[in-house]
Structures are given as structure tokens and as C-alpha cells.
């Protein structure tokens, strides 16, 4: 073969690999409102940075005539590239080849990528669109999944792992994304479930569509499985890029600093009027968040799930931070099962990846009721307590209004290791609210007038931050208008924090 023929052969094979399952299937993919694996990677990465690995790999299956059907790459496009100039590893299941199903061979491709990512300290981003285990390969496919799960677990807390669900993701296949740090879904075109509508109809006789069962809206609002949703693939992949801009490439790195033109010491008098004087009036904690962070840029995580707690990424003075904030505008900001687990997982992510935590507290306590108690609020609430106590990153806490009962302790109090604790003059730090306290102390023993006086007395004595400040549990009482600069200075002061917990195999978080 002469040189030209050799180059031609290379071109032919390359084109064959790049055409996936062929024109007809690509057309079907587009008609379903979906991009191909290669198109998705091109949207996700900086232009021209993708380097493909294992493009010529083919499967080794022999049953059901599959040995006569081979596609270079075998239904998975994998490699490395850049997002905003930073290295990432990416794999994309190609639905046009065997429905993007997992063969032993393409499991090995994912394993190779994960091993490289762990060695080089860069994230793995998985673009999922697959019919699951490749039926023709049987247990070899299942083994491939389990190997990937194992690598997911070993990588957890070492490199960020991000999953975008861009089509079907069913059966045990859901467990790889579930083990990763963040799940993105696309409205209408992506679905996740362990057992599909057909099986559910047979077993429990429930009638449910696949959209109701495992669509993006369901997982973003009901199950809490999805962290972000986009209206289409482009928007979803742009959100992946945005998330990556806040997080480091591995657990040994600092999160990426970004110079901001937003002045660090700008006072904002409008902050003085956000927390209402009436402690029972709601307000939107996001109004405070937007006013104190750099350029009002807040990437909220799980905005539609357990809205009584707000979590997300922002920058202050250029430094990425993780914000955890009770939301008085929803269920009065109460802590319950879902909000506790939502925030606990976020706190642990930030701690694993050196992202300081800024906690804004306005919490009336834990939600009462049999549903919560039977559902295990004791152990789920303990998760948040555990996560904050275990976290060794800088922890800055600001109490804007209520910090009642156990929830005061849980929400990154001084006692569980916060480094700087601020309170507004409107803060109320007490075992419970005035009315509830007086009812318990003097049950049925007071006239209405006496009760009113007792409530006022309690309010004066306890419903303020000064007792806690006198005891050193609050380091400084600040005016709302100064919040931004105060927190930035606290972040700068704690920048070189050195703290580690005692060596152990691992703790035993109440699961
Ligand atoms: C092999 C598969 C396949 C599978 C789909 N295909 N699923 N091939 N193994 N599991 C092939 C189809 O034969 C078809 O090939 C192509 O992929 C596209 O599939 P269609 O059915 O034409 O597409 P669509 O109508 O969009 O439906 C997609 C689908 C459906 C919803 C994913 O194919 C489906 O329900 N598949 C089975 C899903 C499933 O039950 N998987 C096992 C789950 S359990 P051609 O050649 O016609 O293009 C599991 C265990 C994981 O995954 C274990 C981890 C521990």
C-alpha cells in the first residue's frame, strides 16, 4: 500500500467512526430533538480542543449475530478537551449505535477515561443517552457497569464527576449518574428510572407516563435526583460549563479565582430593609444573596426541590463560595427531611473540593408532624448537622433573623466549628419563638394580658442576638448594609485555614 492509500484508509475508517449508526439513525436522533454524541461534545467543549481516545475500538460480542455488526468506537465517543481553557474528560453515549448501550468494550473505554482523570486530577463529564445494558452481551455488560460504579465511588471527592442525562437512562444504568456529584437533565427528552412505566403497571398497577415518572421536572422537583435542568441540550450543556467555572479540577486544588470589578467594600443600604420588622413576615433570602455576591451571579443548585433551603455557588471578592441559606419565603424556611438532605450533600461537596461555606440563617426550627417523624427527620436532620460539623473548609455564618432551637445549632453554629459568626441586629437566637415559649412555660396559667406581657418580656430578653454575642457565640453584630464587605473580609481572614479531622477510615454519616 502506498502512502496515499494508507492515508485514504485512515480517512475512510475515521469517517466510518464519525458517522455513528448511519444517516437514518442520525436523522431519527435529530427528529427526536436530540444531538448526536459528537455534536454534544462540540457544544460542551472549547472549539477545537477535543481529542478522541479509542475511536477505532469495536465490540467483542458474538451472540445474536452481533459479530457481523461492528461500528468503530462502538457507540461511545470519549476523550479529553477543555472548558474555558481547563482540562476535562468527557464521554458521550452514541444512541445511533446499538441505542448507546453499554458493551464490555465501551465500558472499558469509560474505565480508561476515569483512570486517566483520577491520575491527572481533572473532572469526568458523562453525557448519557442509552438503552442500558447491551442485551446481546449479558453479564459482560453488567460487569462493565459495576466496574464503572466502582470507579465512580473511588473518584468521589477526588475529582468532580458530572452527569448530563440527554435521553433514556434506565435500570441499573441510573446508578452511575447517581454516584456522581451533579446530574443535569433536559426537559422532555431525558428520562431516568430504575423500572419503567410498563413494569410499574404490572407490579403495582399504577398508570404513569415516562415523563411523569422520570422526566426532568419530576427529578428536579419531586425526587431531588436532578440538580439542574435545561430547556434544551444547548442550554443544559452551557450550564455544565457554568458549574465547572465555580469548582476546582480536583480535591488538591483551590476553586478558580476570578477577578471581579464589583467593589469588595460597597455598602448596600437597601439591605437594611429586606428583613421585615415583623418576625412572622416572609421575605426572599435570594434578595440578600444577590445583593452581597459578586455581580449578582448566583448558580442555584436544585432550585425546584425543597425550596425552604437555598443552595448554590457564587463568588465573593473573586473567590468561589458555596451558599446555604434558609428560605423564609417558603414554609418559613423550616428544616425538614428534604431540605436537610439537600443541603447536607451540598455542604459535603463544597468541603471535599475546598469551597468555603457561607451560611445564611433564618430558621424557625424543624418541621413538626408525623410525616416528618415517621419519615426519619431525626436521622435526616442529623445529616446536615454531621455535614457542617465535619466540614473543615472556611465556614462563615450570618443569622439574619430567627435561629431557633436545634436548628440554631445545626445551621453552622459556632459550636459545630464555624470560623466567623455574624448576626444582624434583627436576629433572634433562642430555644423557640416567644409565643411558643410562653405557652410552654405558663400553660393555661396566664390571663391574656399577662401572657402578652410575658411574651414581650421574653422577646426583649431572648429574641435578639445580644445574649449570644455576650457569650462569644456571635463574633460580631453587623448592619445589613455592610454584609458583603464583612463576609469578604472573613473569607480573606480564613483563606489559609488549616484544619483536618482525626485520621479514620471514614466517618459514619447517618444514612
Ligand atoms: C441492545 C438495544 C437496547 C439494549 C435499545 N437497543 N436498547 N440494543 N440492548 N438494551 C437498540 C434497538 O434495538 C435499536 O436498534 C436501537 O437501540 C434504538 O432503539 P429503539 O427502541 O429503536 O429506540 P426508541 O424507540 O427511541 O427507544 C429507546 C428505548 C428502548 C426506550 C431505550 O429501546 C428500550 O426500552 N430499550 C430497552 C431498555 C432496557 O430495558 N434496557 C435494559 C435496562 S436494564 P436499531 O438497530 O433498530 O437501531 C439495564 C441494566 C443495567 O440497563 C445494569 C447495571 C447494573
Amino acid at each position: 500500500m502506498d502512502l496515499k492509500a494508507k492515508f485514504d484508509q485512515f480517512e475512510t475508517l475515521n469517517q466510518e467512526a464519525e458517522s455513528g449508526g448511519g444517516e437514518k439513525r442520525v436523522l431519527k436522533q435529530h427528529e427526536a430533538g436530540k444531538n448526536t454524541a459528537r455534536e454534544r461534545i462540540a457544544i460542551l467543549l472549547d472549539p477545537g480542543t477535543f481529542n478522541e481516545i479509542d475511536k477505532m475500538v469495536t465490540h467483542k460480542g458474538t451472540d445474536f449475530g452481533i459479530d457481523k455488526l461492528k461500528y468503530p468506537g462502538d457507540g461511545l465517543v470519549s476523550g479529553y478537551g477543555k472548558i474555558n481553557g481547563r482540562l476535562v474528560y468527557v464521554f458521550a453515549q452514541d444512541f445511533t449505535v446499538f441505542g448507546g448501550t453499554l458493551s464490555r468494550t465501551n465500558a472499558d473505554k469509560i474505565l480508561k477515561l476515569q483512570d486517566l482523570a483520577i491520575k491527572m486530577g481533572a473532572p469526568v463529564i458523562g453525557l448519557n443517552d442509552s438503552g442500558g445494558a447491551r442485551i446481546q452481551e449479558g453479564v459482560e455488560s453488567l460487569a462493565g457497569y459495576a466496574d464503572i460504579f466502582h470507579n465512580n465511588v473511588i473518584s468521589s471527592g477526588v475529582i468532580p464527576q458530572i452527569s448530563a442525562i440527554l435521553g433514556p437512562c434506565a435500570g441499573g444504568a441510573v446508578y452511575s449518574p447517581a454516584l456522581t456529584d451533579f446530574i443535569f437533565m433536559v426537559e422532555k427528552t431525558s428520562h431516568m428510572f430504575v423500572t419503567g412505566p410498563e413494569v410499574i403497571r404490572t407490579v403495582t398497577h399504577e398508570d404513569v407516563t415516562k415523563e411523569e415518572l422520570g422526566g426532568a421536572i419530576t427529578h428536579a422537583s419531586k425526587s431531588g435526583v436532578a440538580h439542574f435542568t435545561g430547556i434544551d441540550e444547548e442550554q443544559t450543556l452551557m450550564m455544565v460549563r457554568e458549574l465547572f467555572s465555580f469548582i476546582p479540577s480536583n480535591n488538591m486544588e483551590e476553586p478558580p479565582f476570578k477577578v471581579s470589578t464589583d467593589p469588595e467594600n460597597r455598602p448596600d443600604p437597601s439591605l437594611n430593609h429586606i428583613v421585615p420588622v415583623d418576625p412572622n413576615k416572609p421575605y426572599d433570602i435570594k434578595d440578600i444573596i444577590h445583593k452581597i455576591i459578586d455581580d449578582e451571579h448566583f448558580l442555584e443548585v436544585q432550585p425546584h426541590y425543597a425550596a425552604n433551603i437555598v443552595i448554590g455557588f457564587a463568588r465573593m471578592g473573586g473567590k468561589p463560595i458555596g451558599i446555604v441559606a434558609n428560605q423564609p419565603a417558603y414554609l418559613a424556611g423550616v428544616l425538614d427531611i428534604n431540605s436537610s438532605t439537600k443541603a447536607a450533600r451540598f455542604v459535603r461537596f463544597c468541603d471535599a473540593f475546598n469551597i468555603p461555606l457561607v451560611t445564611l440563617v433564618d430558621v424557625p426550627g424543624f418541621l413538626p408532624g408525623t410525616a416528618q417523624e415517621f419519615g426519619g427527620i431525626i436521622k435526616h436532620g442529623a445529616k446536615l448537622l454531621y455535614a457542617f460539623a465535619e466540614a473543615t473548609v472556611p465556614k462563615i455564618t450570618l443569622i439574619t433573623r430567627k435561629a431557633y432551637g436545634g436548628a440554631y445549632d445545626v445551621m453552622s453554629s459556632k459550636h459545630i466549628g464555624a470560623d466567623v459568626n455574624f448576626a444582624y441586629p434583627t436576629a433572634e437566637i433562642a430555644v423557640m419563638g416567644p409565643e411558643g415559649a410562653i405557652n410552654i412555660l405558663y400553660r393555661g396559667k396566664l390571663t391574656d394580658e399577662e401572657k402578652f406581657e410575658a411574651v414581650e418580656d421574653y422577646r426583649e430578653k431572648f429574641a435578639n442576638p445580644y445574649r449570644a454575642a455576650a457569650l462569644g457565640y456571635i463574633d460580631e453584630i453587623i448592619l445589613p448594609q455592610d454584609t458583603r464587605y464583612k463576609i469578604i473580609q472573613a473569607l480573606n481572614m480564613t483563606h489559609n485555614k488549616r484544619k483536618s479531622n482525626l485520621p479514620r477510615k471514614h466517618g459514619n454519616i447517618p444514612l
Side-chain angles (χ1 to χ4, degrees), residues 433-447:
E435 284 80 10
I438 295 309
N439 277 340
I440 289 177
L441 286 178
Y442 304 104
R443 200 185 307 268
K445 292 190 196 123
L446 301 181
T447 62

Side-chain angles (χ1 to χ4, degrees), residues 422-439:
F422 294 119
Y424 285 167
T426 44
E428 301 179 5
I429 306 167
V431 173
M432 62 178 73
E435 284 80 10
I438 295 309
N439 277 340

Side-chain angles (χ1 to χ4, degrees), residues 25 28 95 98-99 101 130-136 142 145 149 168 170-173 210:
R25 290 195 184 90
K28 204 174 153 198
F95 193 79
F98 300 117
T101 51
S130 164
R134 190 170 297 172
I135 293 166
Q136 298 91 328
L142 301 185
Y145 270 116
F149 300 159
K210 81 175 173 182

Side-chain angles (χ1 to χ4, degrees), residues 1 476 499:
M1 215 188 266
E476 195 178 353
K499 182 170 189 312

Side-chain angles (χ1 to χ4, degrees), residues 412 421 463 487:
S412 199
N421 294 69
I487 293 179

Side-chain angles (χ1 to χ4, degrees), residues 21 25 28 32 34 66 69 71 95-102 130-137 141-143 145-146 149 168-175 193-194 210:
R25 290 195 184 90
K28 204 174 153 198
K34 302 198 292 179
I66 200 171
L69 262 183
Y71 298 86
F95 193 79
T96 69
V97 175
F98 300 117
T101 51
L102 194 92
S130 164
R134 190 170 297 172
I135 293 166
Q136 298 91 328
E137 291 206 11
S141 170
L142 301 185
Y145 270 116
F149 300 159
C169 183
V174 296
Y175 286 112
F193 32 73
V194 173
K210 81 175 173 182

Side-chain angles (χ1 to χ4, degrees), residues 10 33 36 42 48 55 120 130 134 181 183-184 190 214 220 232 263 284 296 309 404 423 439 449 482 485:
F10 167 66
T36 64
K55 198 174 186 177
M120 309 307 165
S130 164
R134 190 170 297 172
D181 298 303
I183 294 181
F184 290 72
S190 69
D232 56 26
D284 190 344
E296 297 187 25
I309 208 152
Y404 290 165
N439 277 340
E449 203 173 304
D482 301 327
Y485 196 35

